[in-house]
Amino acid sequence: MCGDEGHTHEHSPASQSETPSLSRRRLLSALGVVGAGAAAGTLFDATKWAIPAGAATIDGSSPFSMAMHIHSSFSEGAGSMSSHLDQATRNGVKVVWWTDHDFRMSAFHYRKVVHFTSLTQEQGDGSPWTWVHQTTGTLTAASGGGIVQSPASPIDPVVGGSLSLKAESATSGWASDGYYADSHPAGWNYHNSLYGQTLSLEVMPTSVGSGAYLELLVGTSFHPAGNGRPAGVYTLSYRIGGPGTPGTRVADGLAGIVYLDAVPNQWNSIVVNPCDDIAALWPDLDSRDFACNALTMNAVSGGPVASGNFDYLRFSRAYTSGDVPLTIQRSIQKGYASKYKSVKQRRAIEMGQFLPHINWFGGALHLPHYDGVTKATHLEFMRQQIENVHAAGGLASYNHPYGYTSIGPLPASQQDTLRSEVATAFLQNNVIGCDIIEVGYKLRAGVDLAHHVSLWDILSRNAKFLTANGVSDDHAGNNWAGLSNNWVTSAWATDRSEVELLAALKSGRAWTSSLTGFKGELDLLVDSAIPMGSASISSQSQRQLQVIATNLPTGGTVRVIRGTVDYAGTASPVPNTSVVATLSASDLSTGSASLSIDTTKSRFVRTEVRNGSGATVAVSNPVWLLRETPPNGIPAERQRTLA
């Protein structure tokens, strides 16, 4: 079994290498030169203001792009830590927060045994799987299989039942007949890290040889190209029979073959350790960064008949107790640090067996225990967990507020209704204490980007100070740029250390954007002193807003969005925003432009970037310009006063 892990700790000092090619000094070069008597909505000519060489920034910060919702080999998809780090490097993303599912890291309520009494209705530990019939090649009519009552393994405590398989190729080529274990109906309850896992299986081969074998096929994780191998998903084929010698391993590109010994016409107990086999087959890879993502039992024929029975599959998972999975992941993270030097890895988890799911960013992380938690008690349990997050020095994000399904867009009226329902719940429960809300989704659970952003506007209307971020929630790690939901979040921070990034997120010093739709930078500054994310109280009837935006897409614009903070609450759970200015690239030729904002009423102001087709590709966080203290006050990290 792959070796034990020790505790690791990573420190992230600031360095010159962390400074982006376009620093913030160019963006803020015109600050402090805006006239105080401009009419509301009137744009200043930003081209008048020169950009002095070497101008200092106000707070010394630089922008760092972050992937804030990413799943690796510790979750249920094919993504690996290495594949995501490769994608971050290719796409210029500077920080990856690992947000693997906590209950999957712990294998909570995961399947431990399969008795093969039914293809669809087997009772046991967890909901039934669906065994899906699959074939490859050309088979004769004699091929086939399914659940039979006999023979059955005598060591299986559930009497009767096994999976019978038979394959006969109709040609000289290989052909297979088998069944894939679809555990989606059971919540993917065998999909998680292979590290520390052993699989035990009873097998009775009845017809195998050099041209025929029985196979346990394990699909694992996607890894980038390396050592002459292409990028792709690695597989392990455990074979009884076939042309190889029992006890040997063969690596064929991304396919690993392990030949096993078994006595024909009797039940044999087989125990495999995929992590050890991966380490032996591909020693250049970190064998701990692989998941169990697919299980298929096959009979495979190269001409002769292949047949036999499978029964009593057992899973043993050694590293699921306490916070051991987090320690293992941190060790893998440390090992990848030298290979992917441009990317800083940060610690996080996604909490929640049921909805809502909450991301825990930074601080002293640990894996929650879900014993006794039901759907009815889950929301209150999450509220308690968020209190624990804050006590441990971390931040909490409310993930995919409309759900996580991938259905197509719902009718606009239905999206409006859902938005009002979710907003009402959030206003009543204060978003259960979260600091961040996921907003940057082009489409999620049938709800478009506009309804995600306007849900957040409703919270801003009520002086709920949440930082918006944008994410991909990617589980694959093979094409970040090609994802529909390919959003990232960029934070203004002095470096990429955890403490600085958390401070930026907590104070709203961030914007979110499509990875491919917007390559520039966004910021706001009011009265040369109040930065994006802040809240300022003043009796002034006008405030001077500096809009900072660079590298607009071709034909793109920046829209300045203003909302009134009127504390309408659940009586009016709808947005009340309007566009008060639209800036073109020429307006922003120096990287910034200025206008006056009417603050005869309490306001919040944010910006959004639209491309030449009119699609929103980036959204800033707001600045709140208030006339009085909100009923629940202003968080200390967001409070700003004029000199």
Side-chain angles (χ1 to χ4, degrees):
M1 185 175 293
C2 295
D4 295 333
E5 303 301 331
H7 178 74
T8 63
H9 176 73
E10 180 182 357
H11 178 62
S12 304
S15 69
Q16 291 289 351
S17 63
E18 293 182 349
T19 303
S21 58
L22 177 59
S23 86
R24 189 169 177 240
R25 69 187 58 172
R26 293 189 59 206
L27 303 181
L28 299 180
S29 60
L31 296 179
V33 296
V34 177
T42 300
L43 292 179
F44 285 80
D45 183 4
T47 62
K48 292 180 179 178
W49 316 119
I51 303 175
T57 65
I58 282 182
D59 57 6
S61 62
S62 296
F64 297 106
S65 56
M66 305 184 294
M68 294 191 67
H69 194 156
I70 292 294
H71 292 275
S72 76
S73 54
F74 288 84
S75 292
E76 74 276 22
S80 64
M81 294 176 72
S82 69
S83 66
H84 284 300
L85 290 169
D86 177 70
Q87 285 296 305
T89 302
R90 292 175 183 272
N91 288 282
V93 175
K94 299 302 182 184
V95 180
V96 170
W97 294 87
W98 297 118
T99 55
D100 286 298
H101 292 287
D102 56 355
F103 73 97
R104 298 195 188 281
M105 298 185 89
S106 300
F108 181 72
H109 281 178
Y110 263 45
R111 198 74 182 254
K112 296 178 181 177
V113 63
V114 181
H115 300 286
F116 296 101
T117 59
S118 171
L119 294 176
T120 59
Q121 298 297 321
E122 178 176 314
Q123 301 301 308
D125 55 335
S127 300
W129 297 351
T130 299
W131 288 89
V132 181
H133 187 218
Q134 294 184 341
T135 64
T136 64
T138 304
L139 295 161
T140 69
S143 304
I147 298 296
V148 296
Q149 192 66 17
S150 178
S153 170
I155 71 169
D156 188 344
V158 175
V159 177
S162 70
L163 178 63
S164 176
L165 294 175
K166 182 179 181 180
E168 183 179 30
S169 177
T171 70
S172 59
W174 293 99
S176 69
D177 194 298
Y179 285 84
Y180 157 68
D182 179 7
S183 65
H184 185 205
W188 305 114
N189 64 353
Y190 71 80
H191 293 229
N192 70 337
S193 172
L194 274 171
Y195 183 63
Q197 281 203 51
T198 58
L199 281 67
S200 302
L201 184 64
E202 302 304 303
V203 183
M204 177 186 283
T206 54
S207 180
V208 295
S210 61
Y213 58 88
L214 298 180
E215 175 186 54
L216 168 62
L217 182 63
V218 181
T220 70
S221 297
F222 187 98
H223 285 265
N227 275 13
R229 300 183 300 271
V233 174
Y234 285 69
T235 61
L236 289 171
S237 174
Y238 293 98
R239 299 179 180 180
I240 297 170
T245 302
T248 63
R249 304 180 178 101
V250 177
D252 182 10
L254 307 183
I257 303 169
V258 181
Y259 290 100
L260 305 174
D261 196 14
V263 180
N265 299 308
Q266 72 178 49
W267 287 104
N268 297 262
S269 295
I270 293 171
V271 180
V272 300
N273 186 315
C275 181
D276 284 354
D277 293 321
I278 291 167
L281 289 161
W282 301 287
D284 57 305
L285 301 179
D286 190 328
S287 61
R288 302 166 300 176
D289 189 16
F290 285 77
C292 183
N293 282 307
L295 293 175
T296 308
M297 278 83 171
N298 292 312
V300 186
S301 165
V305 171
S307 65
N309 295 69
F310 293 92
D311 196 9
Y312 199 28
L313 171 64
R314 290 95 74 199
F315 297 86
S316 175
R317 302 177 179 95
Y319 299 122
T320 59
S321 61
D323 293 329
V324 173
L326 288 174
T327 302
I328 295 166
Q329 188 179 53
R330 290 168 192 165
S331 178
I332 301 172
Q333 171 184 325
K334 184 177 180 180
Y336 282 143
S338 60
K339 182 176 181 179
Y340 300 101
K341 295 180 180 179
S342 68
V343 184
K344 190 68 69 175
Q345 302 173 71
R346 291 283 160 239
R347 298 171 294 176
I349 53 174
E350 182 169 16
M351 302 186 294
Q353 188 183 15
F354 310 109
L355 288 175
H357 291 176
I358 305 297
N359 273 351
W360 175 349
F361 296 108
L365 276 80
H366 65 82
L367 297 176
H369 302 287
Y370 290 95
D371 291 327
V373 179
T374 66
K375 286 185 177 180
T377 62
H378 187 260
L379 182 66
E380 180 57 32
F381 181 78
M382 284 292 101
R383 189 199 308 272
Q384 295 170 4
Q385 291 306 308
I386 291 168
E387 292 178 359
N388 294 338
V389 169
H390 292 154
L395 297 180
S397 167
Y398 199 107
N399 296 348
H400 35 70
Y402 294 102
Y404 53 71
T405 60
S406 56
I407 61 174
L410 297 169
S413 60
Q414 190 172 347
Q415 294 189 49
D416 289 345
T417 299
L418 284 172
R419 181 182 61 197
S420 293
E421 291 173 352
V422 174
T424 296
F426 282 176
L427 292 169
Q428 290 172 336
N429 64 26
N430 196 33
V431 202
I432 60 173
C434 284
D435 312 282
I436 301 165
I437 183 171
E438 290 185 346
V439 164
Y441 280 116
K442 185 177 180 180
L443 183 71
R444 196 74 192 267
V447 180
D448 60 24
L449 175 65
H451 284 79
H452 278 86
V453 174
S454 56
L455 170 65
W456 172 51
D457 283 338
I458 297 169
L459 300 174
S460 296
R461 173 183 184 178
N462 290 275
K464 302 295 184 183
F465 300 101
L466 279 89
T467 298
N469 71 344
V471 301
S472 65
D473 195 2
D474 184 39
H475 290 65
N478 60 17
N479 184 14
W480 281 11
L483 295 171
S484 176
N485 289 321
N486 66 357
W487 283 55
V488 294
T489 302
S490 297
W492 289 106
T494 55
D495 59 52
R496 293 180 294 175
S497 64
E498 180 180 287
V499 64
E500 290 298 324
L501 294 176
L502 291 181
L505 289 167
K506 192 172 184 179
S507 61
R509 299 289 295 122
W511 79 91
T512 178
S513 58
S514 163
L515 184 62
T516 53
F518 180 64
K519 298 292 187 178
E521 297 164 338
L522 290 180
D523 206 346
L524 299 173
L525 196 75
V526 175
D527 298 334
S528 302
I530 313 300
M532 177 175 64
S534 302
S536 169
I537 300 172
S538 171
S539 60
Q540 296 179 29
S541 60
Q542 289 185 354
R543 308 286 294 273
Q544 298 304 313
L545 174 69
Q546 191 87 11
V547 176
I548 299 154
T550 67
N551 199 18
L552 297 189
T554 302
T557 58
V558 175
R559 304 204 313 171
V560 181
I561 312 295
R562 187 190 71 189
T564 300
V565 180
D566 58 6
Y567 311 102
T570 58
S572 183
V574 294
N576 66 347
T577 56
S578 61
V579 179
V580 296
T582 300
L583 309 178
S584 67
S586 61
D587 295 320
L588 294 157
S589 60
T590 64
S592 66
S594 302
L595 67 155
S596 292
I597 296 295
D598 178 351
T599 52
T600 55
K601 297 179 180 179
S602 292
R603 310 288 194 186
F604 68 93
V605 184
R606 61 173 178 83
T607 58
E608 62 185 31
V609 178
R610 293 199 165 195
N611 64 19
S613 300
T616 300
V617 292
V619 179
S620 81
N621 269 271
V623 60
W624 283 265
L625 307 176
L626 308 174
R627 298 187 66 82
E628 64 281 320
T629 302
N632 294 318
I634 301 172
E637 61 276 0
R638 295 183 183 267
Q639 293 178 17
R640 296 291 187 277
T641 58
L642 294 175

